[in-house]
Amino acid sequence: MDFALLQTFVKVAELGSFTRAAEQLGLPKSRVSTSVQQLEAQLGTRLLHRTTRTVRVTPDGEQFLERGKALLADAEELQALFQHAPSSLRGRLRVDLPTGLARSVVIPRLPEFLAAHPLVEIELSTTDRRVDLVHEGFDCVLRVGQLQDSGLVARRLGQLSQVNCASPAYLAQYGTPRTLEDLARHRLVRWASSPGGAVSGWEYYDGERYRVLEMQGVITVNHTDAYQTACLAGLGLIQAPRFGAMSSLNAGLLVEVMPGFTGEPMPVSLLYANRRNLSKRVQALMDWLAEVLAPHLDPVSG
């Protein structure tokens, strides 16, 4: 079995695209297409249905894909048995991180990881949208917030407590809210994960469970930087992770309000596709991320 051909097929099948597979493998698209054709010729069966717009895995391709991924994982694990030094890890890692944690915590510490693993290359995506780990070709993603039942494997790292904030200018204009009833006279910087999507309200704990109070607002955003910037500009109240707001709170640029009515702590998790096929370099990166983030997270409650 030619492992280079196998690796190419697995990448095309996972991404559903010859073009994207070529980009991630650093190969010409023509070579990727030829590699898959050579593998199909060796096996005597068609692995992919190709049209001008789509690439789909055939039934034979589905069976071969699962066995092929397991075979690649076994080969990497076997090689790792004889490469005890951490610096022996090699290859590209694709990871997606929330913007705030990437900028403040992870990226400043990345030189340490790369110094320990000089043969590893990292392709880093920073976004606040929920990427599709499998179809976009990520090895792992760091996610803040409640998880959906996606079939991915989740490793819970901790949680981020929340704080309610306003700018001094906003409080001077609208007053300081102290009760839920007071919020009827205030504005909220609203959050929507996607344009036109459902917008946030004011979240609070009523003694039994978390509830959401609808509030008026003049701006809706979908990015953490814009969310806090809108609050700094006096456009409304926000409920945000305390970690991300601490520098502005300490500088007096933001003021904490209604500490007894904060939102539910936000879980922080690492997601990956398959425990069986987890490579040593992905495991090393996730262990390192867990260690780097630990001082900034609260323990998981309950």
Side-chain angles (χ1 to χ4, degrees):
M1 174 62 66
D2 188 321
F3 280 87
L5 299 183
L6 176 57
Q7 186 178 40
T8 300
F9 162 71
V10 168
K11 185 63 67 174
V12 173
E14 289 181 336
L15 298 178
S17 168
F18 282 92
T19 300
R20 287 162 59 195
E23 291 173 352
Q24 290 194 22
L25 293 170
L27 299 173
K29 181 181 176 181
S30 58
R31 182 173 170 184
V32 170
S33 179
T34 300
S35 294
V36 173
Q37 291 173 4
Q38 290 176 348
L39 184 60
E40 289 177 325
Q42 290 178 10
L43 298 173
T45 187
R46 181 174 291 276
L47 301 174
L48 299 171
H49 284 305
R50 309 161 178 82
T51 69
T52 55
R53 295 185 178 181
T54 63
V55 176
R56 292 185 296 108
V57 182
T58 67
D60 284 347
E62 289 281 2
Q63 294 184 45
F64 187 72
L65 177 61
E66 290 307 310
R67 296 294 297 273
K69 289 195 294 186
L71 187 60
L72 289 173
D74 287 341
E76 183 167 322
E77 186 174 350
L78 180 62
Q79 185 179 30
L81 289 175
F82 302 96
Q83 296 177 335
H84 302 293
S87 60
S88 64
L89 296 179
R90 66 178 64 230
R92 179 179 297 184
L93 287 164
R94 297 194 76 232
V95 57
D96 178 78
L97 305 175
T99 304
L101 288 174
R103 180 183 61 244
S104 302
V105 180
V106 177
I107 293 177
R109 298 278 303 273
L110 264 182
E112 302 171 20
F113 181 82
L114 294 174
H117 307 287
L119 301 180
V120 169
E121 177 185 348
I122 293 180
E123 185 175 336
L124 180 63
S125 165
T126 58
T127 177
D128 291 322
R129 71 178 179 87
R130 298 210 163 192
V131 300
D132 188 319
L133 182 146
V134 174
H135 289 97
E136 295 185 51
F138 289 103
D139 294 300
C140 65
V141 302
L142 185 70
R143 188 152 292 169
V144 176
Q146 298 296 333
L147 301 177
Q148 299 175 345
D149 184 12
S150 60
L152 300 174
V153 183
R155 176 177 173 180
R156 186 78 170 265
L157 302 184
Q159 59 189 20
L160 293 170
S161 61
Q162 295 207 61
V163 62
N164 306 321
C165 300
S167 71
Y170 175 89
L171 297 177
Q173 181 176 358
Y174 294 96
T176 300
R178 304 188 186 281
T179 67
L180 293 174
E181 290 72 21
D182 291 343
L183 293 178
R185 301 188 297 274
H186 285 268
R187 295 175 172 180
L188 182 69
V189 177
R190 295 184 292 196
W191 173 276
S193 58
S194 59
V199 297
S200 60
W202 183 276
E203 192 175 57
Y204 67 97
Y205 188 65
D206 69 357
E208 295 183 356
R209 64 185 181 90
Y210 283 93
R211 296 183 179 272
V212 176
L213 177 68
E214 298 300 323
M215 282 185 63
Q216 61 180 336
V218 294
I219 184 171
T220 302
V221 301
N222 67 344
H223 194 280
T224 53
D225 285 345
Y227 190 57
Q228 187 170 145
T229 301
C231 185
L232 289 166
L235 293 172
L237 306 168
I238 62 170
Q239 295 185 292
R242 183 177 290 275
F243 164 80
M246 278 307 300
S247 60
S248 294
L249 288 168
N250 291 337
L253 300 175
L254 292 178
V255 178
E256 182 175 2
V257 298
M258 296 180 63
F261 297 93
T262 56
E264 185 174 7
M266 303 177 73
V268 179
S269 310
L270 279 167
L271 300 182
Y272 53 101
N274 193 313
R275 192 188 308 274
R276 172 67 178 83
N277 299 321
L278 191 64
S279 71
K280 294 292 185 181
R281 63 180 179 273
V282 176
Q283 183 67 61
L285 177 65
M286 293 200 302
D287 289 345
W288 179 80
L289 285 171
E291 179 182 347
V292 167
L293 291 167
H296 305 281
L297 304 179
D298 299 324
V300 178
S301 61

